[in-house]
Amino acid sequence: MSRQVRRATLDDLAGVSKVARLTDQSGEGAGDDPRYSAHVLERGRLFVAEVEGSIVGYGATVRVDQVDMLTDLFIAPERQGQGIGKELLDAVWSGADDRMTLSSSHPSALPLYMRFGMAPLWPVLYLRGESTLAPPGYVVQDVDVPECALREQELTGIDRSKDYAYWAARPQSRLFVVRFASEVVAVGAVGGAGSTYGVSHLVAAAPQHSADSLLAVLSTLTGRLFLAIPGPHLGVARLVEQGWRLVDVDQFMATAANLVDPALVCPHSGLM
């Protein structure tokens, strides 16, 4: 039986989509969304595993600052338990010093990532709820991709231009900055389709602005909303008080505890 792990090309996205559907990774922003897969392919490293010429798994990373973020690792059910996941991780993380990912509750995920030097550090909570009460003094201003990317780079030192271009093309997208006393204290994006509609990404300048900036953004939205938020984030308690409900949990894992400040960011579940 011939088996290989190799770099993906655009021609492989149909095979990636097939594996994504087999592993319940369907919908906008998942592996069977060709726009998402093309973004990861162009933005980072996307590898596929082939058996007898057919794609049976895929893995991908993107670099956030100097950290390699694992965005995807999925193996067709009939091929799980055969070491393909490890082979894909060896490929996508080749040469990476600092690594991070959001580990699902799949029983094999956490021990596999620990073998690659990562430790579980804090939970990422997936919440659903409705528009929140707006905190006084915080103003949400819509901006374009260059402005949003510039403001995030000013706050974090990280160039997220390509990610903001991707987030701007999501359904129902908006890019924004949040101001307090005329100063930019947060930046991010909203968007998504159906059950994924909500905050795509948000980063605050300081912990004292993180919860209020998030609630200010959510106060401008309508309908049933979705959000990924770290467990230590001060916004969690505020959202629970306003009736938001937990729908799922992942674990943030990394090779060092200081790679991401959970008090400042509401991450995109794959792109961080």
Side-chain angles (χ1 to χ4, degrees):
M1 178 179 67
S2 64
R3 184 164 104 186
Q4 68 167 331
V5 169
R6 60 169 176 80
R7 275 264 197 182
T9 69
L10 285 172
D11 292 337
D12 296 317
L13 296 191
V16 168
S17 179
K18 180 179 179 179
V19 173
R21 291 192 299 272
L22 290 172
T23 51
D24 298 322
Q25 300 301 306
S26 297
E28 189 269 332
D32 76 336
D33 176 357
R35 196 178 68 83
Y36 169 77
S37 296
H39 174 68
V40 172
L41 179 66
E42 189 271 336
R43 168 83 165 75
R45 294 159 59 90
L46 176 61
F47 279 74
V48 293
E50 283 185 328
V51 174
E52 300 296 338
S54 295
I55 293 175
V56 299
Y58 65 98
T61 60
V62 296
R63 178 155 285 200
V64 181
D65 197 10
Q66 300 301 310
V67 185
D68 284 289
M69 171 75 184
L70 181 73
T71 65
D72 298 273
L73 182 68
F74 296 101
I75 315 300
E78 71 274 11
R79 295 295 178 180
Q80 293 175 7
Q82 300 177 8
I84 294 174
K86 181 181 182 304
E87 292 178 18
L88 283 165
L89 289 181
D90 284 334
V92 298
W93 269 333
S94 175
D97 294 322
D98 291 323
R99 300 177 293 279
M100 61 185 177
T101 193
L102 304 186
S103 175
S104 72
S105 59
H106 192 286
S108 64
L110 189 143
L112 176 60
Y113 298 144
M114 291 185 74
R115 288 197 288 274
F116 279 81
M118 293 184 293
L121 298 174
W122 31 263
V124 176
L125 311 177
Y126 298 101
L127 305 180
R128 291 197 192 282
E130 297 181 351
S131 181
T132 60
L133 300 176
Y138 287 81
V139 177
V140 182
Q141 174 189 359
D142 290 352
V143 295
D144 59 13
V145 169
E147 175 77 4
C148 222
L150 173 64
R151 294 299 187 176
E152 171 140 350
Q153 191 159 20
E154 290 174 344
L155 293 184
T156 67
I158 303 173
D159 181 4
R160 303 298 300 268
S161 302
K162 291 181 179 179
D163 291 328
Y164 275 111
Y166 168 75
W167 289 323
R170 296 188 77 195
Q172 304 180 81
S173 69
R174 285 173 53 206
L175 306 183
F176 60 82
V177 296
V178 182
R179 295 181 181 272
F180 182 78
S182 79
E183 296 295 324
V184 173
V185 296
V187 59
V190 301
S195 63
T196 69
Y197 175 63
V199 174
S200 304
H201 168 80
L202 186 150
V203 62
Q208 63 265 32
H209 293 299
S210 60
D212 284 329
S213 295
L214 173 61
L215 267 63
V217 172
L218 293 173
S219 74
T220 69
L221 307 180
T222 59
R224 195 71 172 161
L225 307 174
F226 176 77
L227 172 69
I229 185 170
H233 194 288
L234 294 175
V236 173
R238 303 271 294 277
L239 291 171
V240 171
E241 288 172 0
Q242 297 192 34
W244 283 58
R245 296 287 182 260
L246 179 70
V247 295
D248 203 357
V249 179
D250 281 342
Q251 278 287 329
F252 176 78
M253 301 185 68
T255 51
N258 62 349
L259 300 183
V260 174
D261 187 341
L264 299 182
V265 63
C266 291
H268 185 283
S269 56
L271 301 175
M272 187 52 73

